[in-house]
Amino acid sequence: MQMGLLHLLAFSPLLLLALCSAEISSKVGVNYGQLGNNLPSPTRSVRLIKHQLKAHRVKIYDANPSILRALKHTDIQVSVMVPNELINAIAVNQTLADSWVVSNVVPFYPATQIRYLLVGNEILSSADNTTWFNLVPAMRKVKNALKRHNVLKVKVGTPLAMDVLASSYPPSNGSFRPDVSDRVMKPMLQFLNRTKSFFFLDVYPYFPWSSDPKNIDLDYALFESKNVTVTDPATGLVYTNLFDQMVDAVIFAMKKLGYPNIRVWIAETGWPNAGDYDQIGANIYNAATYNRNVIKKLSARPAIGTPARPGWVLPSFVFALYNENQKTGPGTERHFGLLYPNGSFVYEIDLSGETPEREYGELPVPMNNEPYKGKIWCVVARGANRSALASALSYACTQGNGTCGPIQLGKPCYRRGSLVRQASYAFSSYWAQFRKAGGSCYFDGLATQTIKDPSYGSCKFPAVTL
């Protein structure tokens, strides 16, 4: 009987992977970001993670010792991260890799259940291609450092975004970008395969849907579709949601490079609970619907998997623990939280997947599932720091063509001593010129969007018209 099993395993890689998958829990974890100036302490955050969200895994974006101490002697598995800025140095310096592990892992392991060590975050999405080519060497050095210090239960990986793909539709056409396929992805997949680690993937159906809401059905993106399906013409696989489509595109891309069985870990997924006026579908209703449904899928027993890998466990972390008020970029970036900074629910959610849908309260009706049509201005946010505002005003006025002409002395928008009005004009003028090129109404948190015209008298503020 033993020989029969060995013979079967030798000729059945799918069975072998199924057995490996069975060892991985389907429990959903949470990403614990710290980009906020109003967040609870690590000790309170760990209590919220365990008792309020009922999560058994957490991913942090560094190796914050206060958080790792707060996680000691809990049953929460932990993922820590080497910061992006250390990758180039670690890639060529084993001593530095050893030092990082000695400082950031060894003092806490195994009392804190560190199980995953991620090298950088979405490195292949950055413009710095030097770091691209140092990523896998750094991963190897970190793995060697863990072995040298007898830290044997920690998997090494790196989270990648969907933009690592050159093609993703249909899923069977999934392929990695040519600028990273041979020089980065092949050696990375070889490393992940050899060390039995995971392909850590960030999957956000919100972004493809919000960029093309006319052609992608919202219910299909939210796991709510009753009659919309997509059939891959090459494989015949039928998709009932956008999430599965995205994951399978990566699975097919790995297969094309000769690695059909590397396990996928959903490093981030989620939906924004609010955003700017020009950001469609970012609301509590959609966020709750998406996250409840994705948790139901990912925590199901037996595992559901995807059409390309039915029955495979997809371990995961939902993004994010809190709304983080210091994240940069569009408003959605600051509104992915399951909890407000005071620890209360943005909407009821249970990461264990055990709370029946009927026990959740009613959700607010979504008001922005259609694109906003009209004018939007960019003005100074309430409570903006005055000294920082002066610097931002100066920056905005040096960009573009005639951005601040109307607020110069003798012009219609000049108001002596009125920094807020002057800066609001400059922000609106800057954003009106540069939004299509990627400019945002943020200015390090000093600006916010408004649909109330801030113009006064003969001073007319430029606006973005949607």
Side-chain angles (χ1 to χ4, degrees), residues 105-161:
V105 177
V106 172
F108 307 99
Y109 180 91
T112 298
Q113 292 188 41
I114 299 171
R115 292 291 180 267
Y116 311 97
L117 202 171
L118 304 182
V119 180
N121 190 45
E122 296 189 348
I123 289 297
L124 300 186
S125 301
S126 75
D128 179 12
N129 62 5
T130 303
T131 310
W132 298 356
F133 305 122
N134 282 328
L135 179 56
V136 178
M139 292 167 70
R140 294 189 189 113
K141 294 282 196 304
V142 168
K143 184 65 176 177
N144 290 338
L146 291 169
K147 285 183 180 177
R148 287 182 179 199
H149 296 90
N150 205 35
V151 180
L152 304 178
K153 291 185 177 181
V154 176
K155 299 292 186 186
V156 173
T158 188
L160 299 177

Side-chain angles (χ1 to χ4, degrees), residues 31 122 159-163 199-208 221 223 241-250 264-271 290-291 294 298 306 314-319 336:
N31 286 280
E122 296 189 348
L160 299 177
M162 289 297 298
D163 62 5
F199 190 111
F200 288 88
L201 179 65
D202 295 348
V203 184
Y204 287 98
Y206 171 75
F207 293 114
F223 295 91
N241 63 78
L242 187 53
F243 176 93
D244 283 351
Q245 255 189 255
M246 296 169 75
V247 173
D248 276 1
V250 173
V264 172
W265 188 300
I266 306 302
E268 290 182 13
T269 192
W271 194 284
Y290 176 83
N291 279 329
V294 79
L298 295 172
T306 67
L314 278 172
S316 58
F317 298 106
V318 169
F319 190 85
F336 271 91

